[in-house]
Amino acid sequence: MTMNKNAKLLENLEWQGVSRRTFLKYCATLASLMALPPSAGRAMAEALAQAKRPSVIWLPFQECTGCTESITRSHSPSIEGMIFDMISLDYQETLMAAAGHQAEEALHKAMQDNMGKYVLIIDGSVATGLDGAYSCIAGRTNLEALREAAQGAAAIIALGSCAAYGGIPKAKPNPTGAVAVSDIIKDKPIVNIPGCPPIPVVITGVLAHYLTFGSLPELDKLGRPKAFYGETIHDRCYRRPFYDQGKFAKSFDDEGARKGWCLFELGCKGPVTYNACASVKWNGGASWPVEAGHGCLGCSEPDFWDAGGFYKALSMPADPLKMTAGAALAGAVAGVAITVANRAKKGAAKAAHETTTLADLEK
Amino acid sequence: MNEMQFLTWVRGPGLDIALSLFVLGVLWRLIEIYSLGRKKDLSAPRHKPGASGWHTIARRSVPPEGMFKTSPVSYVGGYVFHIGLAIIIFLFIPHIKLIESLVGVSWPGLPSQVVDLVTVVTLAAMIVLLADRIMKPTKRYLSGFQDWFTWTLTFLPVLTGWLAVQHLLLPYTTMLALHILTAELLLVFIPFTKLFHAFTVFGSRWFNGAVNGHKGVPV
Ligand code: SF4
Ligand code: SF4
């Protein structure tokens, strides 16, 4: 027995042993996660149950496959994982069996068959240096492939910090001229799902929203769905009471660290990082980085790699001071120079001073 | 430039520039002022109890008789906001971290809720003082550009810091960057404005006291 390619989503889920009840519950959770009204959960369930598997084309560019790992691996038996199976993933190099020319054919067929309707997922940044020659697939640059694939896309999901903001490839000195998808494509709806890697439920949430309402969810200024990136890690962090009390771990193995105190002094970027880790958590809700004892790196923010070092507290200088010693010297020199000038003036005034004699007064 | 780049700039090159100008200005002004010198006073000092530099330092910290009644707002407001500023600057833990990373010394801080309360009180005191300066004809008459300017320079970092911590008005990242930027502006202007009294206040009090003490006049 094989999965029916044309079956509705719910039928396929049932085929995989997911009951209607579990599915409804999942939709309700998703809706509440996305801060949608309770009625949206039902609407979502109905829409998703009826939805034909949308065609999804996934192109990997300058990336490390961490995003794919995040989505496929951590959730295998969960509904999110299955929903993800339920989309018609027509092209994904890492997951597909086809290779070489076969793969290229699959890509072009998927694009033609679903012209104007498919969802394009990009992970990885786009190299623009040397006309994009730094990153090629099947003899074509990512830049070319992106422009072509974007033309027929209904919407684009820039998955992971590299596709969303350039990520690690864009870190100084950015040898490949890496840029974000949104730097190249200007005329299509793009939703950024940053994170290094992003949280799996965020992408299924965005897909579910798209299938239910036919539109992308509300985005913030940086193109991220507000529902998941509306609050900082620090806002929702369970260590926050320690921050407020001024109880900080000073090293990774001191008493404070063992007691679970705040990691701010160890460089936690939670206060400036908008992501859902603290509420959704990772690995099916098992834990998340700060709970595991390491500060947040700020991975869902643009240029997190160049934000002054992972282990430096946010209030500390991002770079070593370069000019201050020179400035101190210059200040001292200026002070001494003025002193010399002042003394000279005083000396001159003294020299010019004429003593008044009695005779002068009687004149 | 996005918010994170803005923040990284103020934490990096911005801080470097501001601290450099600050250090340059402070050394320049201190050397300039203290090297001015005076002619030696050849008259015999007239000793009188209470007439000395040290006495003046202490005496000028309390209102002279009757003055408190005349301008209570200046005294109470002035004390509250100066002490408030000192607490905020030197006892808020992220500030201590900054000082530690710059000069290597650190000390225990206060819980952030306490600093938060102090900040609100400080802001209120500064606003009251500003209103008083505007409303009292004498004070207004005596005020020049520098007085309004330095008030603004001092007020902004406190306000933006508080807004950042409270997550008000702008996203935290932007507000934090603005906070650091306004603090950097303050640093740059300290040596070149009236704000330099932070460095010279006790020195000049001592000097006035000593000169007058020599003449036998307690001031
Ligand atoms: S560990 Fe990080 S995110 Fe959590 S309270 Fe401390 S600074 Fe904020
Ligand atoms: S805790 Fe911070 S660095 Fe870690 S995954 Fe979440 S957003 Fe990224």
Side-chain angles (χ1 to χ4, degrees):
Chain A
M1 190 162 129
T2 53
M3 203 160 68
N4 180 355
K5 210 172 175 232
N6 293 316
K8 311 250 165 72
L9 186 75
L10 190 59
E11 288 161 21
N12 269 328
L13 281 174
E14 274 168 358
W15 177 81
Q16 293 211 359
V18 176
S19 74
R20 192 176 184 90
R21 197 182 140 77
T22 320
F23 177 65
L24 277 172
K25 222 174 116 193
Y26 168 72
C27 290
T29 318
L30 205 56
S32 83
L33 260 181
M34 299 183 73
L36 295 167
S39 59
R42 190 153 280 277
M44 211 175 236
E46 274 162 25
L48 287 182
Q50 295 303 319
K52 286 266 177 56
R53 308 184 333 146
S55 171
V56 173
I57 293 173
W58 181 324
L59 298 179
F61 293 158
Q62 292 197 112
E63 46 87 46
C64 69
T65 313
C67 296
T68 315
E69 289 277 346
S70 164
I71 278 137
T72 53
R73 187 174 278 198
S74 58
H75 278 263
S76 344
S78 76
I79 307 194
E80 282 114 298
M82 285 184 200
I83 291 238
F84 200 69
D85 285 342
M86 292 310 115
I87 58 175
S88 173
L89 192 49
D90 291 324
Y91 184 85
Q92 215 285 9
E93 281 159 17
T94 317
L95 303 178
M96 69 202 291
H101 293 298
Q102 260 183 327
E104 281 303 293
E105 255 165 52
L107 172 61
H108 285 103
K109 186 164 172 354
M111 274 164 45
Q112 267 150 28
D113 291 354
N114 302 288
M115 202 37 134
K117 287 191 299 234
Y118 57 85
V119 175
L120 178 63
I121 298 182
I122 305 287
D123 68 328
S125 64
V126 190
T128 59
L130 299 179
D131 293 328
Y134 283 105
S135 181
C136 296
I137 296 166
R140 288 193 321 147
T141 66
N142 294 165
L143 195 61
E144 246 179 276
L146 172 63
R147 286 206 176 107
E148 188 194 35
Q151 266 175 18
I156 302 176
I157 295 177
L159 185 65
S161 293
C162 298
Y165 306 129
I168 295 170
K170 191 182 164 228
K172 277 177 202 149
N174 190 2
T176 65
V179 297
V181 170
S182 57
D183 290 325
I184 306 287
I185 305 298
K186 303 282 182 196
D187 56 351
K188 292 282 169 177
I190 299 176
V191 51
N192 289 331
I193 304 186
C196 191
I199 306 174
V201 71
V202 179
I203 172 164
T204 50
V206 170
L207 281 174
H209 190 285
Y210 183 71
L211 291 178
T212 309
F213 304 109
S215 64
L216 294 173
E218 199 191 342
L219 306 178
D220 71 2
K221 245 180 35 215
L222 292 169
R224 307 176 284 203
K226 274 191 185 159
F228 296 104
Y229 298 89
E231 283 174 303
T232 63
I233 298 287
H234 186 65
D235 285 336
R236 304 297 297 268
C237 180
Y238 76 104
R239 297 194 190 218
R240 180 64 183 268
F242 295 118
Y243 172 91
D244 289 329
Q245 287 162 28
K247 291 184 174 155
F248 299 97
K250 313 266 175 199
S251 79
F252 286 107
D253 57 357
D254 70 353
E255 212 200 320
R258 276 192 286 278
K259 285 188 176 153
W261 288 357
C262 170
L263 302 167
F264 179 86
E265 294 197 8
L266 294 170
C268 183
K269 302 293 179 292
V272 294
T273 306
Y274 291 79
N275 204 348
C277 305
S279 38
V280 174
K281 300 197 181 180
W282 280 87
N283 299 332
S287 182
W288 64 292
V290 168
E291 197 172 333
H294 195 288
C296 168
L297 306 180
C299 77
S300 58
E301 295 297 319
D303 303 311
F304 76 103
W305 204 260
D306 289 318
F310 293 156
Y311 299 99
K312 268 191 214 156
L314 260 179
S315 63
M316 282 164 58
D319 302 322
L321 300 176
K322 289 187 205 96
M323 313 187 309
T324 316
L329 194 69
V333 169
V336 170
I338 292 191
T339 303
V340 170
N342 285 342
R343 292 271 153 115
K345 213 161 146 193
K346 246 163 71 177
K350 204 170 162 189
H353 182 81
E354 287 171 22
T355 318
T356 314
T357 60
L358 256 185
D360 290 334
L361 293 175
E362 279 171 0
K363 262 186 208 163
Chain B
M1 191 189 258
N2 62 47
E3 292 147 39
M4 201 62 162
Q5 286 168 329
F6 178 29
L7 178 62
T8 309
W9 188 86
V10 293
R11 287 175 60 210
L15 184 74
D16 199 13
I17 295 170
L19 274 178
S20 302
L21 288 173
F22 173 75
V23 170
L24 184 148
V26 168
L27 282 176
W28 164 355
R29 298 284 319 268
L30 283 179
I31 294 175
E32 178 183 354
I33 293 169
Y34 287 111
S35 72
L36 273 176
R38 283 244 168 170
K39 262 202 197 147
K40 211 171 158 62
D41 190 341
L42 297 172
S43 64
R46 303 182 183 187
H47 292 293
K48 193 166 175 198
S52 80
W54 296 108
H55 273 105
T56 306
I57 289 180
R59 203 181 296 117
R60 294 250 173 118
S61 298
V62 282
E65 235 185 282
M67 281 304 283
F68 188 81
K69 274 218 180 103
T70 325
S71 38
V73 175
S74 302
Y75 283 104
V76 177
Y79 261 102
V80 168
F81 105 80
H82 275 92
I83 294 172
L85 278 182
I87 290 177
I88 298 166
I89 297 172
F90 295 111
L91 294 178
F92 185 47
I93 287 157
H95 296 164
I96 300 176
K97 273 316 270 186
L98 170 66
I99 297 169
E100 187 188 2
S101 72
L102 291 174
V103 290
V105 285
S106 86
W107 50 84
L110 286 177
S112 51
Q113 286 97 336
V114 177
V115 179
D116 197 67
L117 186 78
V118 172
T119 311
V120 174
V121 174
T122 305
L123 287 171
M126 288 193 75
I127 291 171
V128 169
L129 279 172
L130 180 72
D132 195 54
R133 193 185 272 280
I134 293 171
M135 260 127 77
K136 289 246 170 73
T138 333
K139 273 179 129 182
R140 193 172 56 222
Y141 177 74
L142 288 173
S143 302
F145 170 76
Q146 267 215 31
D147 296 281
W148 310 113
F149 181 59
T150 51
W151 183 92
T152 314
L153 276 178
T154 315
F155 187 75
L156 284 181
V158 188
L159 179 71
T160 50
W162 184 75
L163 288 175
V165 170
Q166 296 293 326
H167 289 223
L168 294 172
L169 228 60
L170 292 173
Y172 178 79
T173 314
T174 317
M175 206 39 113
L176 179 65
L178 281 176
H179 168 64
I180 300 177
L181 184 73
T182 50
E184 285 166 0
L185 279 177
L186 175 67
L187 275 180
V188 169
F189 280 103
I190 283 178
F192 306 105
T193 55
K194 292 189 170 191
L195 294 172
F196 202 58
H197 74 268
F199 284 85
T200 52
V201 60
F202 294 116
S204 41
R205 271 188 201 173
W206 183 89
F207 193 78
N208 283 335
V211 169
N212 287 300
H214 192 91
K215 299 173 182 160
V217 188
V219 285

